[in-house]
Amino acid sequence: MRVVILDSTDAVSRFAADQVADVMHRSRNSGKSPVLGLATGGTPLGLYNELIQRYRDGSLSFADVRSFNLDEYVGLPPEHDQSYHYYMKESLFQHIDIRMENTAVPQTWQCDLSISALEYESKIKNAGGIDLQILGIGTDGHIGFNEVGSSLASRTRLKTLTRQTRSDNARYFTSIDDVPIAAITMGIATILEARAILLLATGANKAKAVAGCVEGAISSGLPASALQLHPNVTIVVDRAAASLLHHAEYYEDSERVRVKLQSPQ
Ligand code: F6R
């Protein structure tokens, strides 16, 4: 795992936008349209603003990009202002040149949920898989909505949300009772099939989950720890989210060495 510790949330967003731009560039260079895996929540908003700025200043186009979101609540229509369909349109899609028909968020409204989950998996496969998956992390260590106890072999499916997740997300709703009780989420195995993974975390409330993800034992008790099994993962965090990492000094040394080895001799 590459662990990058930065001084501010803005620096995390800029670093993430550079990674997205780089992956898009590489896909196009190999004659492929880029396929991005996207997340919602508070954490990636700075990244999305940065991508919007780069589109506006002409340095980045999304005209050929396909995207797949990690998850969607069950029980909210797509036009509900807390649905992830709505979030993506408001926070990113309507501000860039991506074609809406090339974007996908799991369908959960008035449909058969198990068929919808299976179809989502096929859609990802038919697009040739995901080049870069963006992830946030829950305070309980979830990725997507793969809550504690999620099988490391799980695929896209219906998942019940934990009380912790519902209470963390209650800030976006009038009351915790309005927070959906379930979601369709890509599974852990689905996420691990992405060719590269970029997990963003900011704030002290994520420090414990980040430490478990990077330095804990691989366990369904902390689903993000499964990322240790993937050969191309970057964890980018601010200092508060890095505060419980035992080996922070080593990760910072590694970044300095990386810069040194990459600069012309
Ligand atoms: C969102 C998602 C979740 C969030 C996580 C952190 O699509 O899959 O795993 O990334 O709950 O949320 P924030 O960023 O709001 O702290």
Side-chain angles (χ1 to χ4, degrees):
M1 275 178 163
R2 177 180 177 194
V3 181
V4 182
I5 303 170
L6 298 171
D7 285 330
S8 65
T9 53
D10 283 353
V12 168
S13 301
R14 279 195 302 274
F15 179 93
D18 288 345
Q19 299 293 303
V20 171
D22 189 50
V23 164
M24 285 168 58
H25 189 66
R26 281 168 199 260
S27 297
R28 287 171 181 149
N29 276 353
S30 64
K32 259 187 84 255
S33 296
V35 184
L36 300 177
L38 300 175
T40 58
T43 312
L45 286 173
L47 161 64
Y48 295 154
N49 287 337
E50 190 65 34
L51 295 178
I52 293 166
Q53 278 318 315
R54 293 181 193 201
Y55 164 67
R56 287 189 178 145
D57 71 19
S59 58
L60 210 53
S61 166
F62 298 84
D64 61 342
V65 168
R66 295 206 57 176
S67 73
F68 290 91
N69 264 80
L70 280 167
D71 41 22
E72 176 58 288
Y73 288 124
V74 169
L76 302 183
E79 57 281 1
H80 188 287
D81 66 2
Q82 291 309 324
S83 79
Y84 289 163
H85 279 81
Y86 186 92
Y87 168 106
M88 287 311 302
K89 215 190 282 170
E90 289 292 307
S91 313
L92 184 64
F93 296 155
Q94 70 177 7
H95 305 288
I96 58 175
D97 60 346
I98 197 164
R99 297 154 67 113
M100 282 308 288
E101 65 271 27
N102 287 344
T103 68
V105 179
Q107 292 298 326
T108 59
W109 184 243
Q110 295 180 339
C111 62
D112 181 313
L113 297 173
S114 35
I115 292 178
S116 166
L118 279 174
E119 284 177 353
Y120 205 64
E121 287 278 330
S122 323
K123 247 185 171 176
I124 296 172
K125 273 204 186 80
N126 294 340
I130 291 171
D131 292 312
L132 177 67
Q133 177 65 57
I134 306 293
L135 297 175
I137 185 168
T139 55
D140 59 359
H142 70 224
I143 46 175
F145 275 133
N146 293 287
E147 301 283 32
V148 286
S150 287
S151 160
L152 305 190
S154 52
R155 314 292 319 185
T156 304
R157 70 212 183 288
L158 179 67
K159 196 72 196 157
T160 302
L161 303 183
T162 60
R163 290 179 189 195
Q164 177 68 54
T165 296
R166 292 184 67 234
S167 126
D168 287 346
N169 291 1
R171 65 191 191 278
Y172 300 117
F173 293 82
T174 317
S175 88
I176 190 163
D177 297 329
D178 296 327
V179 183
I181 53 174
I184 284 191
T185 179
M186 278 186 205
I188 294 180
T190 319
I191 292 171
L192 291 178
E193 277 172 7
R195 285 180 275 282
I197 295 176
L198 178 64
L199 182 144
L200 319 181
T202 55
N205 63 330
K206 298 294 174 70
K208 202 167 157 215
V210 167
C213 164
V214 177
E215 296 174 344
I218 297 174
S219 158
S220 62
L222 199 135
S225 63
L227 298 179
Q228 294 172 32
L229 295 166
H230 192 285
N232 189 4
V233 175
T234 304
I235 309 283
V236 54
V237 290
D238 67 0
R239 293 208 174 271
S243 58
L244 295 177
L245 288 171
H246 286 297
H247 304 294
E249 198 176 51
Y250 172 68
Y251 308 135
E252 296 198 88
D253 285 350
S254 302
E255 284 306 299
R256 279 190 281 273
V257 169
R258 178 186 281 267
V259 171
K260 199 168 166 197
L261 295 180
Q262 279 171 355
S263 49
Q265 305 293 309

